[in-house]
Amino acid sequence: MKNVVVVGSQWGDEGKGKIVDWLSSEADVVVRFQGGHNAGHTLVIDGITYKLRLLPSGIVRKNKISIIGNGVVVDPWALLDEIKEIKSKGVNVDENNLILSESANLILPFHKEMDEIREDAAGNAKIGTTRRGIGPAYEDKIGRRSIRVMDLVSENNLDRRLETVLTHHNAIRKGLGKQIYKKDQLKKDLLKIAPEILKFSQPVWKKIYEYKAKGKKILFEGAQGILLDVDHGTYPFVTSSNTVAATAATGSGCGPNTINYVLGITKAYTTRVGEGPFPTELKDKTGELLGSRGKEFGTVTSRKRRCGWFDGVLVRQTIKISGINGIALTKLDVLDELEEIKMSIAYELNGKKIDYLPAAVDDQLRVKPIYKTFKGWKSSTKGIKEFEKLPSNAKIYIKELEKFIETKVSSISTSPERSDTILIESPF
């Protein structure tokens, strides 16, 4: 029996939703452990499309427990809207199958406003956030002034906590020439929804310990990708939390020995949303083809994704950082029409060859990829479920990719449908 962590090995949008749904048929419990409603997971099940942002992917499956851990920042109104939306598609959501950590920090309206104010003021230096208040909410968490789920229990406590956080925010708003944010209406709005939120609230660390003791299989679901990790990503063009596999432990309240297998979701090419370095980006017809065939638009924002060749250097690096045991290779079928396919196997920086992405953003923007070129297979792989039935050039590409990143390809996805998957090694 194994407890599995699923993380994205690139900049996110690797297809984690489908893989987590596929794995959740084996799991008993599915846990979100970081990020907020800036993370979009699209699931297509029996012809019905579900777009999840805060809810774990296991929520669409019967007899599964879904958990939102303490490491997630939660917009309570967005959560209730998402629950309403998913219920309208026939999915049951109640306190028996959804647990929200009492320690989770809340995203409030002034966080979203601050996100927008900063992005608009940054001009060409903008980060490319989703403007949903994620970063400012994490800042308040670290600054020890945040409102947490448990604070909704007591009106007096909520009043004090709001006083503290707004003292900080209003000082900044005044300095930026913005109107101060008033407490009373926000307190009323929070108290109004408090019963709906609190009915899901439990000590998640305790529940996970109980599930472990009962031998339940636990699936930890990451949001964003490792290259957006606040420490290990392309800083400052990153998210505001740690996205590496180790965060599954701190973001849910369990020891690292709970984790038995780390699965890295890896797209057969590379995409990125927003600003920041992207060594293998293609700003030509091939990039456009990848974007159109792969339907590369953000689940949450509908922003067009930047597309490029598979960057073996980056994926090999994130595998080492996150302790990935195997990768799930997704969207192989998007490459079907290409005459040739390239993979970055090194970089050139200031005339020297290097085998990793340097930490300095100026260097990240200057590196030039060194490619290995493969012949395309020019035939459909869509829906293939056995490795041996893949075109020979597709098998060559996968085997060379596997060899370069020094990690086993454990599964291959050949369409958005959950059943269209080549299983080579099960994480469970």
CSV table of all heavy atoms in Angstrom, one decimal, residues 329-368:
chain,number,residue,atom,x,y,z
A,329,LEU,N,3.4,11.0,-18.4
A,329,LEU,CA,3.6,11.8,-19.6
A,329,LEU,C,2.2,12.1,-20.2
A,329,LEU,O,1.5,11.1,-20.6
A,329,LEU,CB,4.5,11.1,-20.5
A,329,LEU,CG,5.0,11.9,-21.7
A,329,LEU,CD1,6.0,13.0,-21.2
A,329,LEU,CD2,5.8,11.0,-22.7
A,330,THR,N,1.9,13.3,-20.3
A,330,THR,CA,0.5,13.7,-20.8
A,330,THR,C,0.6,14.4,-22.2
A,330,THR,O,1.7,14.9,-22.6
A,330,THR,CB,-0.2,14.7,-19.9
A,330,THR,OG1,0.6,15.9,-19.8
A,330,THR,CG2,-0.3,14.0,-18.5
A,331,LYS,N,-0.5,14.4,-22.9
A,331,LYS,CA,-0.7,15.1,-24.2
A,331,LYS,C,0.3,14.7,-25.3
A,331,LYS,O,0.7,15.5,-26.1
A,331,LYS,CB,-0.7,16.6,-23.9
A,331,LYS,CG,-1.8,17.2,-23.1
A,331,LYS,CD,-2.0,18.7,-23.3
A,331,LYS,CE,-3.3,19.1,-22.7
A,331,LYS,NZ,-3.6,20.5,-22.9
A,332,LEU,N,0.6,13.4,-25.3
A,332,LEU,CA,1.5,12.9,-26.3
A,332,LEU,C,0.8,13.1,-27.7
A,332,LEU,O,1.5,13.4,-28.7
A,332,LEU,CB,1.8,11.4,-26.1
A,332,LEU,CG,2.7,10.8,-27.1
A,332,LEU,CD1,4.1,11.2,-27.0
A,332,LEU,CD2,2.6,9.2,-27.0
A,333,ASP,N,-0.5,12.9,-27.8
A,333,ASP,CA,-1.2,13.0,-29.0
A,333,ASP,C,-1.2,14.4,-29.7
A,333,ASP,O,-1.3,14.6,-30.9
A,333,ASP,CB,-2.7,12.6,-28.8
A,333,ASP,CG,-3.4,13.5,-27.8
A,333,ASP,OD1,-2.9,13.4,-26.6
A,333,ASP,OD2,-4.4,14.1,-28.1
A,334,VAL,N,-0.8,15.5,-28.9
A,334,VAL,CA,-0.7,16.8,-29.4
A,334,VAL,C,0.5,16.9,-30.4
A,334,VAL,O,0.4,17.7,-31.4
A,334,VAL,CB,-0.5,17.8,-28.3
A,334,VAL,CG1,-0.3,19.2,-28.8
A,334,VAL,CG2,-1.8,17.8,-27.4
A,335,LEU,N,1.4,16.0,-30.3
A,335,LEU,CA,2.6,16.0,-31.2
A,335,LEU,C,2.4,15.3,-32.5
A,335,LEU,O,3.3,15.2,-33.3
A,335,LEU,CB,3.8,15.5,-30.4
A,335,LEU,CG,4.2,16.1,-29.1
A,335,LEU,CD1,5.4,15.4,-28.5
A,335,LEU,CD2,4.5,17.6,-29.2
A,336,ASP,N,1.3,14.7,-32.6
A,336,ASP,CA,1.1,13.7,-33.7
A,336,ASP,C,1.3,14.2,-35.1
A,336,ASP,O,1.8,13.5,-36.0
A,336,ASP,CB,-0.4,13.1,-33.7
A,336,ASP,CG,-0.6,12.2,-32.6
A,336,ASP,OD1,0.4,11.7,-31.9
A,336,ASP,OD2,-1.8,11.8,-32.3
A,337,GLU,N,1.1,15.5,-35.4
A,337,GLU,CA,1.2,16.1,-36.7
A,337,GLU,C,2.5,16.6,-37.1
A,337,GLU,O,2.8,17.1,-38.2
A,337,GLU,CB,0.1,17.2,-36.9
A,337,GLU,CG,-1.3,16.7,-36.9
A,337,GLU,CD,-2.3,17.8,-37.1
A,337,GLU,OE1,-1.9,18.9,-37.4
A,337,GLU,OE2,-3.5,17.5,-37.0
A,338,LEU,N,3.5,16.6,-36.2
A,338,LEU,CA,4.7,17.3,-36.4
A,338,LEU,C,5.7,16.5,-37.2
A,338,LEU,O,5.9,15.3,-37.0
A,338,LEU,CB,5.4,17.7,-35.1
A,338,LEU,CG,4.6,18.7,-34.2
A,338,LEU,CD1,5.3,18.9,-32.8
A,338,LEU,CD2,4.4,20.0,-34.9
A,339,GLU,N,6.4,17.1,-38.1
A,339,GLU,CA,7.5,16.5,-38.9
A,339,GLU,C,8.7,16.1,-38.1
A,339,GLU,O,9.3,15.0,-38.3
A,339,GLU,CB,7.9,17.4,-40.1
A,339,GLU,CG,6.9,17.6,-41.2
A,339,GLU,CD,6.7,16.5,-42.1
A,339,GLU,OE1,7.6,15.5,-42.0
A,339,GLU,OE2,5.8,16.5,-42.9
A,340,GLU,N,9.0,17.0,-37.2
A,340,GLU,CA,10.1,16.8,-36.3
A,340,GLU,C,9.8,17.4,-34.9
A,340,GLU,O,9.0,18.3,-34.8
A,340,GLU,CB,11.5,17.3,-36.8
A,340,GLU,CG,11.5,18.8,-37.0
A,340,GLU,CD,12.9,19.3,-37.4
A,340,GLU,OE1,13.6,18.6,-38.1
A,340,GLU,OE2,13.2,20.5,-37.1
A,341,ILE,N,10.4,16.8,-33.9
A,341,ILE,CA,10.2,17.2,-32.5
A,341,ILE,C,11.5,17.4,-31.8
A,341,ILE,O,12.5,16.6,-32.0
A,341,ILE,CB,9.4,16.1,-31.8
A,341,ILE,CG1,8.0,15.9,-32.5
A,341,ILE,CG2,9.2,16.4,-30.3
A,341,ILE,CD1,7.4,14.6,-32.1
A,342,LYS,N,11.6,18.5,-31.0
A,342,LYS,CA,12.9,18.8,-30.4
A,342,LYS,C,12.8,18.7,-28.9
A,342,LYS,O,11.7,18.9,-28.3
A,342,LYS,CB,13.4,20.2,-30.8
A,342,LYS,CG,13.7,20.3,-32.3
A,342,LYS,CD,14.2,21.7,-32.6
A,342,LYS,CE,14.6,21.8,-34.1
A,342,LYS,NZ,15.1,23.1,-34.4
A,343,MET,N,13.9,18.4,-28.2
A,343,MET,CA,14.0,18.3,-26.8
A,343,MET,C,15.3,19.0,-26.3
A,343,MET,O,16.3,18.8,-26.9
A,343,MET,CB,14.0,16.8,-26.3
A,343,MET,CG,14.2,16.6,-24.8
A,343,MET,SD,14.7,14.9,-24.4
A,343,MET,CE,13.4,14.0,-25.2
A,344,SER,N,15.1,19.9,-25.4
A,344,SER,CA,16.3,20.6,-24.8
A,344,SER,C,17.1,19.7,-23.9
A,344,SER,O,16.5,19.1,-23.0
A,344,SER,CB,15.8,21.8,-24.0
A,344,SER,OG,17.0,22.4,-23.4
A,345,ILE,N,18.4,19.5,-24.2
A,345,ILE,CA,19.2,18.6,-23.4
A,345,ILE,C,20.4,19.4,-22.7
A,345,ILE,O,21.1,18.7,-22.0
A,345,ILE,CB,19.8,17.5,-24.3
A,345,ILE,CG1,20.6,18.1,-25.5
A,345,ILE,CG2,18.7,16.6,-24.8
A,345,ILE,CD1,21.4,17.1,-26.3
A,346,ALA,N,20.5,20.7,-22.9
A,346,ALA,CA,21.5,21.5,-22.3
A,346,ALA,C,21.1,22.9,-22.6
A,346,ALA,O,20.3,23.2,-23.4
A,346,ALA,CB,22.9,21.1,-22.7
A,347,TYR,N,21.9,23.9,-21.9
A,347,TYR,CA,21.7,25.3,-22.2
A,347,TYR,C,23.1,25.9,-22.5
A,347,TYR,O,24.2,25.3,-22.1
A,347,TYR,CB,21.2,26.1,-21.0
A,347,TYR,CG,19.8,25.7,-20.6
A,347,TYR,CD1,19.6,25.6,-19.2
A,347,TYR,CD2,18.8,25.6,-21.4
A,347,TYR,CE1,18.3,25.2,-18.7
A,347,TYR,CE2,17.5,25.3,-21.0
A,347,TYR,CZ,17.3,25.1,-19.6
A,347,TYR,OH,16.0,24.8,-19.2
A,348,GLU,N,23.1,27.0,-23.2
A,348,GLU,CA,24.3,27.8,-23.4
A,348,GLU,C,24.1,29.1,-22.7
A,348,GLU,O,23.1,29.8,-22.9
A,348,GLU,CB,24.6,28.0,-24.9
A,348,GLU,CG,25.8,28.8,-25.2
A,348,GLU,CD,26.0,29.1,-26.6
A,348,GLU,OE1,25.9,28.2,-27.5
A,348,GLU,OE2,26.2,30.3,-26.9
A,349,LEU,N,25.0,29.5,-21.9
A,349,LEU,CA,25.0,30.7,-21.1
A,349,LEU,C,26.3,31.4,-21.2
A,349,LEU,O,27.3,30.8,-20.8
A,349,LEU,CB,24.6,30.5,-19.7
A,349,LEU,CG,24.5,31.8,-18.8
A,349,LEU,CD1,23.5,32.7,-19.3
A,349,LEU,CD2,24.2,31.4,-17.3
A,350,ASN,N,26.4,32.6,-21.8
A,350,ASN,CA,27.6,33.4,-21.9
A,350,ASN,C,28.7,32.5,-22.6
A,350,ASN,O,29.9,32.6,-22.2
A,350,ASN,CB,28.1,33.9,-20.5
A,350,ASN,CG,27.1,34.8,-19.9
A,350,ASN,OD1,26.3,35.5,-20.5
A,350,ASN,ND2,27.0,34.7,-18.6
A,351,GLY,N,28.3,31.8,-23.6
A,351,GLY,CA,29.3,31.0,-24.3
A,351,GLY,C,29.7,29.7,-23.7
A,351,GLY,O,30.5,28.9,-24.3
A,352,LYS,N,29.1,29.3,-22.6
A,352,LYS,CA,29.4,28.1,-21.9
A,352,LYS,C,28.2,27.1,-21.8
A,352,LYS,O,27.1,27.6,-21.7
A,352,LYS,CB,29.9,28.3,-20.4
A,352,LYS,CG,31.2,29.1,-20.4
A,352,LYS,CD,31.6,29.3,-18.9
A,352,LYS,CE,33.0,30.0,-18.8
A,352,LYS,NZ,33.4,30.2,-17.4
A,353,LYS,N,28.4,25.9,-21.9
A,353,LYS,CA,27.4,24.9,-21.9
A,353,LYS,C,27.1,24.5,-20.4
A,353,LYS,O,28.0,24.2,-19.6
A,353,LYS,CB,27.8,23.6,-22.6
A,353,LYS,CG,26.7,22.6,-22.8
A,353,LYS,CD,27.2,21.4,-23.6
A,353,LYS,CE,26.2,20.3,-23.7
A,353,LYS,NZ,26.7,19.1,-24.5
A,354,ILE,N,25.8,24.6,-20.0
A,354,ILE,CA,25.5,24.2,-18.6
A,354,ILE,C,24.3,23.2,-18.6
A,354,ILE,O,23.6,23.1,-19.6
A,354,ILE,CB,25.1,25.4,-17.8
A,354,ILE,CG1,23.9,26.2,-18.4
A,354,ILE,CG2,26.3,26.4,-17.6
A,354,ILE,CD1,23.3,27.3,-17.5
A,355,ASP,N,24.2,22.4,-17.5
A,355,ASP,CA,23.2,21.3,-17.5
A,355,ASP,C,22.1,21.6,-16.5
A,355,ASP,O,21.5,20.6,-16.0
A,355,ASP,CB,23.9,20.0,-17.2
A,355,ASP,CG,24.6,20.0,-15.9
A,355,ASP,OD1,24.6,21.0,-15.2
A,355,ASP,OD2,25.2,18.9,-15.5
A,356,TYR,N,21.9,22.8,-16.1
A,356,TYR,CA,20.8,23.1,-15.2
A,356,TYR,C,20.3,24.6,-15.4
A,356,TYR,O,21.0,25.4,-16.1
A,356,TYR,CB,21.3,23.0,-13.7
A,356,TYR,CG,22.3,24.0,-13.3
A,356,TYR,CD1,21.9,25.2,-12.6
A,356,TYR,CD2,23.6,23.9,-13.6
A,356,TYR,CE1,22.8,26.1,-12.2
A,356,TYR,CE2,24.6,24.8,-13.3
A,356,TYR,CZ,24.2,25.9,-12.6
A,356,TYR,OH,25.1,26.9,-12.2
A,357,LEU,N,19.1,24.9,-14.9
A,357,LEU,CA,18.7,26.3,-15.0
A,357,LEU,C,19.2,27.1,-13.8
A,357,LEU,O,18.9,26.8,-12.6
A,357,LEU,CB,17.1,26.3,-14.9
A,357,LEU,CG,16.5,27.7,-15.2
A,357,LEU,CD1,16.7,28.1,-16.6
A,357,LEU,CD2,15.0,27.7,-14.8
A,358,PRO,N,20.0,28.1,-14.0
A,358,PRO,CA,20.6,28.9,-12.9
A,358,PRO,C,19.5,29.7,-12.1
A,358,PRO,O,18.3,29.8,-12.6
A,358,PRO,CB,21.5,29.9,-13.6
A,358,PRO,CG,21.0,30.0,-15.0
A,358,PRO,CD,20.4,28.7,-15.4
A,359,ALA,N,19.8,30.1,-10.9
A,359,ALA,CA,18.8,30.7,-10.0
A,359,ALA,C,18.5,32.1,-10.4
A,359,ALA,O,17.4,32.6,-10.2
A,359,ALA,CB,19.2,30.6,-8.6
A,360,ALA,N,19.5,32.9,-10.9
A,360,ALA,CA,19.3,34.3,-11.2
A,360,ALA,C,18.3,34.5,-12.4
A,360,ALA,O,18.6,33.9,-13.5
A,360,ALA,CB,20.6,35.0,-11.4
A,361,VAL,N,17.3,35.3,-12.3
A,361,VAL,CA,16.4,35.5,-13.3
A,361,VAL,C,17.0,36.1,-14.6
A,361,VAL,O,16.6,35.7,-15.7
A,361,VAL,CB,15.2,36.4,-12.9
A,361,VAL,CG1,15.6,37.8,-12.6
A,361,VAL,CG2,14.0,36.3,-13.9
A,362,ASP,N,18.0,36.9,-14.5
A,362,ASP,CA,18.7,37.5,-15.6
A,362,ASP,C,19.4,36.4,-16.4
A,362,ASP,O,19.3,36.4,-17.7
A,362,ASP,CB,19.7,38.5,-15.2
A,362,ASP,CG,19.1,39.8,-14.7
A,362,ASP,OD1,17.9,40.0,-14.9
A,362,ASP,OD2,19.8,40.6,-14.1
A,363,ASP,N,20.0,35.4,-15.7
A,363,ASP,CA,20.6,34.3,-16.4
A,363,ASP,C,19.5,33.4,-17.0
A,363,ASP,O,19.7,32.9,-18.1
A,363,ASP,CB,21.4,33.5,-15.5
A,363,ASP,CG,22.7,34.2,-15.0
A,363,ASP,OD1,23.1,35.1,-15.8
A,363,ASP,OD2,23.3,33.8,-14.0
A,364,GLN,N,18.4,33.2,-16.3
A,364,GLN,CA,17.3,32.4,-16.9
A,364,GLN,C,16.8,32.9,-18.2
A,364,GLN,O,16.4,32.2,-19.1
A,364,GLN,CB,16.2,32.3,-15.8
A,364,GLN,CG,16.6,31.5,-14.6
A,364,GLN,CD,15.5,31.5,-13.5
A,364,GLN,OE1,14.5,32.3,-13.7
A,364,GLN,NE2,15.7,30.8,-12.4
A,365,LEU,N,16.7,34.3,-18.3
A,365,LEU,CA,16.2,34.9,-19.5
A,365,LEU,C,17.2,34.8,-20.6
A,365,LEU,O,16.9,35.0,-21.8
A,365,LEU,CB,15.9,36.4,-19.2
A,365,LEU,CG,14.7,36.6,-18.3
A,365,LEU,CD1,14.6,38.0,-17.8
A,365,LEU,CD2,13.4,36.3,-19.0
A,366,ARG,N,18.5,34.6,-20.3
A,366,ARG,CA,19.6,34.6,-21.3
A,366,ARG,C,19.9,33.3,-21.8
A,366,ARG,O,20.6,33.1,-22.9
A,366,ARG,CB,20.9,35.3,-20.8
A,366,ARG,CG,20.8,36.8,-20.7
A,366,ARG,CD,22.2,37.4,-20.7
A,366,ARG,NE,23.0,36.9,-19.6
A,366,ARG,CZ,23.1,37.5,-18.4
A,366,ARG,NH1,22.4,38.6,-18.2
A,366,ARG,NH2,23.8,37.0,-17.4
A,367,VAL,N,19.6,32.2,-21.1
A,367,VAL,CA,20.0,30.9,-21.5
A,367,VAL,C,19.4,30.5,-22.9
A,367,VAL,O,18.3,30.9,-23.2
A,367,VAL,CB,19.7,29.8,-20.5
A,367,VAL,CG1,20.5,30.0,-19.2
A,367,VAL,CG2,18.2,29.7,-20.2
A,368,LYS,N,20.2,29.8,-23.7
A,368,LYS,CA,19.7,29.4,-25.0
A,368,LYS,C,19.7,27.8,-25.0
A,368,LYS,O,20.7,27.2,-24.6
A,368,LYS,CB,20.6,29.9,-26.1
A,368,LYS,CG,20.6,31.4,-26.2
A,368,LYS,CD,21.6,31.9,-27.3
A,368,LYS,CE,21.6,33.4,-27.5
A,368,LYS,NZ,22.5,33.8,-28.5
